[in-house]
Structure formats: C-alpha cells, structure tokens
Amino acid sequence: MATRSMDGGVHAHDPHSCLCCRPEIFALTDRMTADLTRRGFMASMATSIAALGLPGLATAQTKTALETTPAPTVFKNFRLFDGQGETLRDGFHLRVDDGKITALAEGDVTASQDVTVIDCGGRTLMPGLIDAHWHAMFAPLPMISLLTSDIGYVYLAASAEAERTLMRGFTTVRDVGGPSFALKRAIDEGLAPGPRIFPAGALISQTGGHGDFRMRSDVPRSEGRITYSEEIGAAAIADGPDQVLHRVREQLMLGASQIKLTGGGGVSSLYDPLDTLQFLPEEISVAVRAAADWGTYITAHIYTPAGISRYVKAGARCIEHGQLADEDSVKLIVDHDVWWCLQPFTEASDMNRYSDKENQRKQQMVWDGTDRAYELAIKHKAKVGWGTDILFAPAATVNQGNMLAAMKRWYTPAKALKMATGDNGDLLALSGERAPYRGKLGVIEVGAFADILIVDGDPTEDIDLIADPDANLLLIMKDGYIHKNSIPA
C-alpha cells in the first residue's frame, strides 16, 4: 500500500504497521519526556526528529520556543502588492523589526551591519495568504481516522499539515471547527511551525446536525455521557437555549476567537439533508448574545436561503458557504452588513469527493449553486471572504493554492488575491478583543505583522503562480521569521 509521507512524497508502507506503532516513535516519546524544561524539550525534539528522518516536522529557521528574536531585515528591489489595492507599485524598500513592518518608504535603503538585506530582484512582495475557512485538525485525516485514532496521533498529523500549510504561503488561517487550541499554542510558542490560527473550537451542533459525528449506536444518549468526538473537542452537541449557552461559553473559556454554529445540512455529515434548518431562533439568539458579551461573533454553516435568513436576523456576523442563496437572502446579508465566506466549489475542483451516493447528491447541489452564488455576491457588492473548507481529505490539502487560483472564474486575479489577503484580514478583525494576535494581518503597511511572500512573477496577472508554491514562492516570512528563502543570490 502507498501512503503520503510527512514531506508530501509517496512511499511504500506496510499496512499492518502504522506510524504510531513504530519503535522509533516510542523512543521519541521517551526522549521528549526525559526533560520537561523548555530548552531540554526542544533539544530532545530536534535530535529525535533528525533520528527519525521526519523533515516535515521541523524547519531550520523556525524560532525555538520564544528564545530568539528575529533579526532586523530590509527588503529592496521589489514590486509591491499591499493587499489593499489591486495594482503593483515600484520603488519601495521595506524594513522588518521584531516581527512587525516598521518602515515602508520610497527610494534606496541604507542599512547597518546588523541588518539582513534581501534583494528581491524585481519580484513581487505581498502579504502572507489567509484561508478564512480552514480546519487544521479535520483536513489532514479521513473522518474515520479522526474519530477513532489516539488524540496524540491526530495532533501529530495536524502539526505536520500545519507546516505544509505555512510552506504553501498561508501564514494565517481562521479555523472554523476542530480542537485546534493546543496546536495553536504550540505554533505560537515556537514548538512547531505553522500558520497563525484563529480558533473556533468545537463545532456546536444540535442533535442530528452537521456537527453530530456520533454513531447510530450512540443514540439514545445516556444522561451525562459524551462520545469521543465530544471528548476530544471536535464537536459539542447542544439542544435548547441552556445547553447552547453552556457550550458557547465553554469554547470561549478555551480561547475561541469566534464561535461556529452548524445551522443547516452539510455535504459530509451523516444524518442531515442539505435543506434542513438547525437550531431554533431562540437558541441562535442565546449564542449570539453570549459571543457578543465576550466581544466576538457567531459564524454559521448554512447553504439555504431560509437558513441564511434565520441566522442573519438572529445576529450572526458571518455566513459560511451559502451556495444555494437566492436574491432576497443575499440582499439580507448586504443590508445587515454580514460577511459571506464562500468557497469555489465546482465539479471541476479536486475537492472533498465522496463515495456515498447521498453525499454525492448533496455535493452536486452545492456545485450547481456556486456560480449563481458568486454572481449574486458580485451583483449586490457583498463583503466576501475566501476559504477552502478542505475536510477529511488529506490528499486534497495540496490544492489549497489551486482553490485560490480557481477564483479567476469569477474575479480578476488581483481581486482574488486581495480577497485572500486584505479582505480576509478585515474578516478576522470581527473577533475584536478576542483576536489572539495584536496587529494588522493581510496587508503590507507600517505596524502590520511581517507576514511576507516573495513571488517569482506577477500574481495579480497570473494567480496560477500561487498554485505551485514550491516553484514560485521564493521566500516565506511569518512574524519576521524566514521559513523559506530560495531567492538567487
């Protein structure tokens, strides 16, 4: 049997010997736990990973447990895409200090000896990409693996995928469902490379809703009993205003930057037809009020006009998906100043394909509605965010950049690029004081985070460059740290 390795390659693999059962993994565990000090942990991690030959788990230039400060860096000789306009500008230099952009000025640069100067050779400098609908814990594993594997294995898989996500140029993701709090912490503390994460925590779902991963044998539910998907924080089942309030507050306690409610049927889920409405208006209102009391917002998974109407009227600040929207529901989105996070789901896309006939039928409905949804969004000037929603499909995560390139079906490359940078940065700002990072994202301006890409070409004319990050993203910087630099000397 062939499997995809952590470095993205395909290798022969014994089907009776999984990675977590290899003797090397047991040795890694013993060595990692031998010294729980920060410095000892990092030293043992680096040595053990080298011994295992797992290059996908570590990056040479990644910061080490907050013990280092990135060197001051100056970029020169580039064409600037700032994430706010849709054209390139020339004649600037840019300085980075301590993870932030501290200067963006015209003219030549004079730098002292303690500053690293990078000559971009006339290439494009742009902000790091933002995926506003990502599932850091759900993307890298099939659903059956997520729901049956040891949680340690799930986190190892998610950590490896987080690094690959960063190396595709995605320096920030809005995680809209999954137990990503620990992964976020590890990335923020420098224990693992990966993008910034705006976590929602568990999918909050009614019984039988899109986030109900239970088996039929788990019903009826015994008093006080929770299933594995709830135990690991993948889902939180709530029925009635009191339970919804409880589950929302739990995710806020854990550090959610926004709250995700599953408001209608889903393509991947087991029990709910696509047209179903989930959560009563009074349940939604309680969730909206609880999130607002913490200075943040509710976003809702929903496809249908009726579902969009219910959630917008109840106070949700963002609609996820919405491919079946009609004219009236889109007008409602615009009139209430609600964000609409759409995904370019079409039959041509190599995304989230299902073997079950009912899942296929629901997926076809979404495919058929996507063109109309984008047409309505453009017509009514809706605030549109961009995301991928790669779900339970480890082989599809490599297509993250392809899904951005697919946006040229409806938008100019420059507009699509702006959507995945500055526009998505504005969407992230809905989290207000619950935003886990203090600074602007998705733009190149003084004071913004130094999340920077150098592209070998002009992505505002040819957005397909983003689809091949290995070849075309010559430099990837996040928070002032360089994770890749292959610019020719």
Side-chain angles (χ1 to χ4, degrees), residues 430-454:
L430 280 182
S431 293
E433 289 300 310
R434 300 290 76 76
Y437 310 100
R438 294 290 180 257
K440 292 198 70 173
L441 292 162
V443 296
I444 300 296
E445 65 177 46
V446 173
F449 280 110
D451 296 353
I452 294 170
L453 308 178
I454 302 298

Side-chain angles (χ1 to χ4, degrees), residues 267 269 353-365:
V267 173
S269 41
R353 294 181 181 270
Y354 301 94
S355 57
D356 181 83
K357 288 186 177 180
E358 178 58 21
N359 293 122
Q360 290 175 349
R361 187 186 72 82
K362 293 191 286 186
Q363 187 167 52
Q364 190 67 54
M365 292 172 65

Side-chain angles (χ1 to χ4, degrees), residues 330-352:
V330 175
K331 288 180 180 177
L332 198 65
I333 287 174
V334 174
D335 290 345
H336 285 73
D337 197 31
V338 169
W339 278 88
W340 187 3
C341 189
L342 264 167
Q343 301 77 40
F345 292 152
T346 65
E347 196 161 3
S349 64
D350 186 19
M351 285 299 304
N352 299 356

Side-chain angles (χ1 to χ4, degrees), residues 284-484:
I284 303 168
S285 295
V286 165
V288 167
R289 288 170 60 192
D293 284 347
W294 277 55
T296 187
Y297 68 100
I298 296 294
T299 190
H301 159 103
I302 194 75
Y303 287 101
T304 64
I308 292 170
S309 176
R310 176 176 289 189
Y311 274 83
V312 169
K313 290 178 179 178
R317 302 300 305 142
C318 186
I319 298 297
E320 309 292 326
H321 314 309
Q323 273 84 353
L324 305 184
D326 62 10
E327 196 100 31
D328 289 340
S329 58
V330 175
K331 288 180 180 177
L332 198 65
I333 287 174
V334 174
D335 290 345
H336 285 73
D337 197 31
V338 169
W339 278 88
W340 187 3
C341 189
L342 264 167
Q343 301 77 40
F345 292 152
T346 65
E347 196 161 3
S349 64
D350 186 19
M351 285 299 304
N352 299 356
R353 294 181 181 270
Y354 301 94
S355 57
D356 181 83
K357 288 186 177 180
E358 178 58 21
N359 293 122
Q360 290 175 349
R361 187 186 72 82
K362 293 191 286 186
Q363 187 167 52
Q364 190 67 54
M365 292 172 65
V366 172
W367 285 342
D368 292 345
T370 297
D371 281 324
R372 177 63 172 159
Y374 276 113
E375 289 168 5
L376 289 171
I378 293 168
K379 175 182 177 181
H380 293 285
K381 297 181 173 59
K383 293 196 300 188
V384 178
W386 172 85
T388 56
D389 191 30
I390 297 173
L391 198 63
F392 310 127
T397 57
V398 296
N399 293 320
Q400 198 172 11
N402 282 315
M403 290 192 71
L404 179 55
M407 296 293 288
K408 65 186 178 184
R409 179 166 174 155
W410 307 281
Y411 298 93
T412 65
K415 178 61 179 174
L417 207 63
K418 179 176 177 290
M419 194 178 294
T421 53
D423 291 355
N424 273 356
D426 290 340
L427 171 53
L428 294 177
L430 280 182
S431 293
E433 289 300 310
R434 300 290 76 76
Y437 310 100
R438 294 290 180 257
K440 292 198 70 173
L441 292 162
V443 296
I444 300 296
E445 65 177 46
V446 173
F449 280 110
D451 296 353
I452 294 170
L453 308 178
I454 302 298
V455 186
D456 194 12
D458 180 0
T460 67
E461 294 291 336
D462 181 10
I463 200 169
D464 287 327
L465 292 168
I466 302 298
D468 189 356
D470 290 345
N472 301 316
L473 299 187
L474 300 189
L475 181 140
I476 299 171
M477 171 183 278
K478 177 200 156 197
D479 201 23
Y481 293 90
I482 296 175
H483 292 262
K484 173 184 177 181

Side-chain angles (χ1 to χ4, degrees), residues 177-341:
S180 62
F181 297 116
L183 177 63
K184 173 192 176 297
R185 179 179 175 182
I187 292 170
D188 290 347
E189 293 183 358
L191 301 179
R196 303 173 191 279
I197 296 178
F198 279 66
L203 292 168
I204 299 179
S205 171
Q206 70 172 47
T207 293
H210 178 59
D212 190 344
F213 300 123
R214 295 176 298 171
M215 301 296 103
R216 299 178 69 88
S217 57
D218 292 322
V219 177
R221 183 177 189 170
S222 301
E223 186 67 30
R225 176 174 173 260
I226 62 172
T227 53
Y228 184 62
S229 62
E230 296 170 274
E231 182 181 330
I232 66 173
I237 309 301
D239 296 293
D242 288 347
Q243 288 188 10
V244 171
L245 180 62
H246 190 179
R247 298 307 173 208
V248 169
R249 286 176 171 169
E250 284 178 339
Q251 302 314 306
L252 292 169
M253 169 191 169
L254 292 172
S257 53
Q258 66 280 332
I259 296 294
K260 171 79 170 289
L261 297 185
T262 58
V267 173
S268 64
S269 41
L270 302 174
Y271 311 114
D272 50 342
L274 214 59
D275 61 290
T276 58
L277 287 173
Q278 297 172 18
F279 286 123
L280 300 172
E282 55 268 32
E283 294 173 308
I284 303 168
S285 295
V286 165
V288 167
R289 288 170 60 192
D293 284 347
W294 277 55
T296 187
Y297 68 100
I298 296 294
T299 190
H301 159 103
I302 194 75
Y303 287 101
T304 64
I308 292 170
S309 176
R310 176 176 289 189
Y311 274 83
V312 169
K313 290 178 179 178
R317 302 300 305 142
C318 186
I319 298 297
E320 309 292 326
H321 314 309
Q323 273 84 353
L324 305 184
D326 62 10
E327 196 100 31
D328 289 340
S329 58
V330 175
K331 288 180 180 177
L332 198 65
I333 287 174
V334 174
D335 290 345
H336 285 73
D337 197 31
V338 169
W339 278 88
W340 187 3
C341 189

